[in-house]
Amino acid sequence: MKVKKTFICSSCGHQSPKWEGKCFSCGEWNSYNEEIVEKPTKTEKKKSLWSGSANKKNKINLIQDIQVNTSPRLKLSDQELNRTLGGGIMPGSITLIGGDPGIGKSTLLLQLALKSQYKVLYVSGEESQEQIKIRAQRIGIDNQNCHVLTETNLPKILQQSNKMLPDLVIIDSIQTMSSPLVDSTPGSISQVRECTADLQAFAKESQIPVFIIGHINKEGHIAGPKILEHIVDTVLQFEGDRNHLYRILRTKKNRFGSTDELGIYAMESYGLRQVENPSELMLSQSDENLSGSTVASTIEGLRPMMIETQALVSQAIYGTPQRSATGFDLRRLSMLLAVLEKRAGLFFGQNDVFLNIAGGLKVQDTAIDLAIISALISSLQNIPVDKSNCFAGEVGLTGEIRAVTRVDQRIEEAARLGFERIFLSKHNKISKKHGKSIEVVPLSKVEDLLDYLFSV
Ligand code: TYD
Ligand code: MG
């Protein structure tokens, strides 16, 4: 083994013999870390620990002659996860689950192992077997199929898996795994990269699917080089507010399905509960009409979801007014405030503005804009918006209300939950006939909303 020190970009994995301020390869600033890499000498290269696929002769095939492995996807009892993965787990696939610490990644995958009809090997490098057992007792053990291994040495894990031949392998945190071929510490870029590559080779050859848990860094990206996300077949992101009940499992990348789907869970004392009807839970329980609170008809993934937005606009006491948003992009909030000032003559300059999306969820659908500006105006003017109204529209820079996608689905969901009026862009084409129970109010610009709801 030749020992060599090198600098590796934590964003793209580019290597450089000296420290660089800016990565030449991906343009990231201050991303180089020093690591020890050991170059295997020629003889050592030959007997690398997992050399399965190297032994097989790869030959060139005509695309028509390639046999497709028709073994079906593994269907889980967890419908939300099935849906997120595009209809079950593909054999030989490798899936990365990322999320904040304590969000419930280990719980999600242990629960999968405890409730699945497949033979699962759960490998943990973070917790002891007793800790895992205690967690399993909280969730409830349903079958005889969950096998636990606490180990951090990857070649040993692969050897054990190869002996046991489970239907599914779960690696609880790639950051704790290490390969003896790389001399740097577990969690370092070269270790993470090496271990993932080995796991991928293992999955592809044995056709055993592998789930990997990955930590995320301060900025919310999966820690480790970006190439980690390139290597794996599917990247799932588990998000939500740790202090809230709800969690969303989003697909960021999926080679075997769409990235539109998402799973919704609630964290209970007995593990994660699947939430089939998210709308009913996101609405607040108060019956009163209060100013600053409105409901948006959003679509997350392919599912409609009614979400309550709350705004509080109050007189600023200190010099610089505060702007704060939970579950919504702060820059987008500033943009909406600027639109209201410029186009509707409403001034927020002397006010603190707080915005909150109920349920602790992060909403990515821009159709929530209209509900947010209504909540802002409602709080500013202290005029409540009736609880029977809901909103779906994007707000543009000129104050125009823009059309949103899947409008029929949104109206249907609103009608189902008993809303009597939905505010939309007038450019939205409504193809289906909706019952008389819901009135559709078309708007073309922000001023229309003011006339309709806030003129006294
Ligand atoms: P965990 O799966 O350990 O998170 P991660 O692996 O993403 O770091 O879950 C962490 C939290 O979930 C923990 O703070 C306790 C809570 N929890 C419950 O509320 N109910 C449960 O049944 C379990 C197992 C955990
Ligand atoms: Mg964990």
Side-chain angles (χ1 to χ4, degrees):
M1 252 338 148
K2 277 189 280 180
V3 178
K4 208 182 116 196
K5 275 189 182 169
T6 186
F7 291 87
I8 304 183
C9 168
S10 59
S11 166
C12 69
H14 184 259
Q15 293 192 11
S16 160
K18 61 182 195 352
W19 189 83
E20 306 282 353
K22 182 183 177 188
C23 176
F24 290 118
S25 174
C26 68
E28 194 72 26
W29 285 94
N30 201 13
S31 61
Y32 277 89
N33 295 323
E34 185 174 23
E35 282 193 19
I36 299 166
V37 284
E38 285 189 28
K39 289 249 158 110
T41 50
K42 269 188 186 147
T43 40
E44 281 166 331
K45 233 180 210 166
K46 279 191 184 142
K47 48 171 188 192
S48 90
L49 279 154
W50 185 259
S51 55
S53 53
N55 299 336
K56 260 200 215 156
K57 278 267 178 297
N58 283 334
K59 79 180 211 285
I60 300 172
N61 275 319
L62 204 63
I63 193 151
Q64 285 88 338
D65 299 341
I66 298 172
Q67 300 292 320
V68 177
N69 186 356
T70 46
S71 50
R73 292 182 183 233
L74 311 191
K75 289 262 186 291
L76 307 166
S77 56
D78 184 338
Q79 292 308 328
E80 300 291 313
L81 196 57
N82 275 338
R83 190 203 312 258
T84 321
L85 292 168
I89 308 174
M90 232 14 216
S93 68
I94 176 154
T95 307
L96 177 67
I97 296 198
D100 281 325
I103 200 80
K105 302 178 294 295
S106 308
T107 310
L108 179 74
L109 292 187
L110 184 64
Q111 187 167 336
L112 184 159
L114 293 170
K115 306 229 154 120
S116 116
Q117 70 272 35
Y118 301 105
K119 195 160 114 187
V120 182
L121 176 62
Y122 182 94
V123 185
S124 179
E126 302 205 331
E127 288 156 310
S128 69
Q129 298 211 345
E130 292 83 58
Q131 282 172 314
I132 296 168
K133 174 81 193 242
I134 293 167
R135 187 194 300 247
Q137 280 167 340
R138 280 180 83 174
I139 299 170
I141 306 170
D142 249 8
N143 59 31
Q144 301 277 329
N145 294 334
C146 176
H147 303 258
V148 177
L149 171 68
T150 43
E151 176 65 76
T152 55
N153 182 309
L154 194 72
K156 284 192 187 148
I157 295 169
L158 294 181
Q159 276 155 16
Q160 297 249 25
S161 315
N162 212 25
K163 227 186 284 160
M164 179 190 152
L165 291 177
D167 297 317
L168 175 67
V169 176
I170 294 169
I171 304 287
D172 195 344
S173 120
I174 189 73
Q175 277 83 6
T176 56
M177 297 297 145
S178 65
S179 162
L181 287 182
V182 182
D183 197 34
S184 48
T185 51
S188 68
I189 302 149
S190 31
Q191 278 289 6
V192 167
R193 189 170 50 183
E194 178 75 20
C195 291
T196 319
D198 280 355
L199 282 166
Q200 189 202 28
F202 168 77
K204 290 282 169 290
E205 192 175 312
S206 62
Q207 286 295 302
I208 299 171
V210 178
F211 267 80
I212 300 176
I213 292 180
H215 294 173
I216 64 173
N217 57 19
K218 275 205 300 294
E219 293 88 41
H221 302 302
I222 291 167
K226 254 283 179 267
I227 46 168
L228 184 60
E229 290 177 46
H230 289 300
I231 297 176
V232 300
D233 297 308
T234 308
V235 180
L236 305 178
Q237 181 98 11
F238 207 31
E239 49 180 59
D241 190 326
R242 223 182 333 162
N243 303 321
H244 278 85
L245 195 57
Y246 299 104
R247 306 279 186 274
I248 286 192
L249 189 63
R250 263 184 226 281
T251 331
K252 281 178 73 190
K253 161 182 175 182
N254 194 353
R255 285 192 182 141
F256 310 116
S258 106
T259 49
D260 278 340
E261 284 291 6
L262 86 184
I264 302 170
Y265 295 91
M267 179 64 93
E268 306 278 2
S269 58
Y270 51 84
L272 289 157
R273 176 169 57 81
Q274 303 171 39
V275 178
E276 273 145 34
N277 256 329
S279 297
E280 283 148 40
L281 300 157
M282 305 298 167
L283 301 177
S284 80
Q285 274 77 39
S286 100
D287 295 327
E288 270 178 278
N289 281 329
L290 297 169
S291 70
S293 155
T294 56
V295 175
S297 178
T298 64
I299 301 247
E300 284 293 318
L302 296 172
R303 285 198 283 180
M305 201 150 81
M306 305 299 287
I307 292 184
E308 182 169 334
T309 64
Q310 295 174 330
L312 181 67
V313 178
S314 64
Q315 190 78 42
I317 302 171
Y318 304 107
T320 327
Q322 294 186 60
R323 303 276 179 261
S324 147
T326 339
F328 191 70
D329 184 16
L330 196 58
R331 269 175 303 178
R332 194 153 183 98
L333 172 64
S334 306
M335 182 214 102
L336 292 177
L337 290 173
V339 168
L340 286 178
E341 298 208 350
K342 186 99 181 166
R343 307 286 161 198
L346 297 167
F347 292 97
F348 291 87
Q350 301 299 315
N351 294 310
D352 290 338
V353 177
F354 304 97
L355 185 74
N356 185 19
I357 310 293
L361 295 180
K362 271 201 204 87
V363 180
Q364 291 184 345
D365 186 1
T366 46
I368 198 171
D369 288 355
L370 193 56
I372 288 176
I373 59 165
S374 310
L376 291 169
I377 303 170
S378 161
S379 181
L380 179 76
Q381 305 198 335
N382 211 10
I383 303 174
V385 173
D386 198 85
K387 276 227 164 317
S388 61
N389 296 328
C390 67
F391 303 83
E394 189 184 329
V395 176
L397 287 183
T398 59
E400 83 275 20
I401 313 289
R402 309 175 67 160
V404 291
T405 53
R406 299 203 191 93
V407 69
D408 292 298
Q409 216 180 332
R410 295 176 200 263
I411 301 176
E412 235 160 65
E413 179 75 357
R416 189 176 75 79
L417 289 164
F419 286 90
E420 291 164 18
R421 213 163 296 102
I422 180 161
F423 291 79
L424 296 169
S425 160
K426 73 165 189 203
H427 302 293
N428 258 130
K429 303 245 176 322
I430 298 157
S431 46
K432 269 201 231 158
K433 264 255 155 286
H434 294 281
K436 284 220 172 58
S437 62
I438 187 154
E439 179 196 352
V440 174
V441 185
L443 304 173
S444 70
K445 42 191 192 321
V446 174
E447 290 96 310
D448 297 352
L449 182 72
L450 278 176
D451 293 342
Y452 203 100
L453 283 180
F454 303 105
S455 56
V456 259

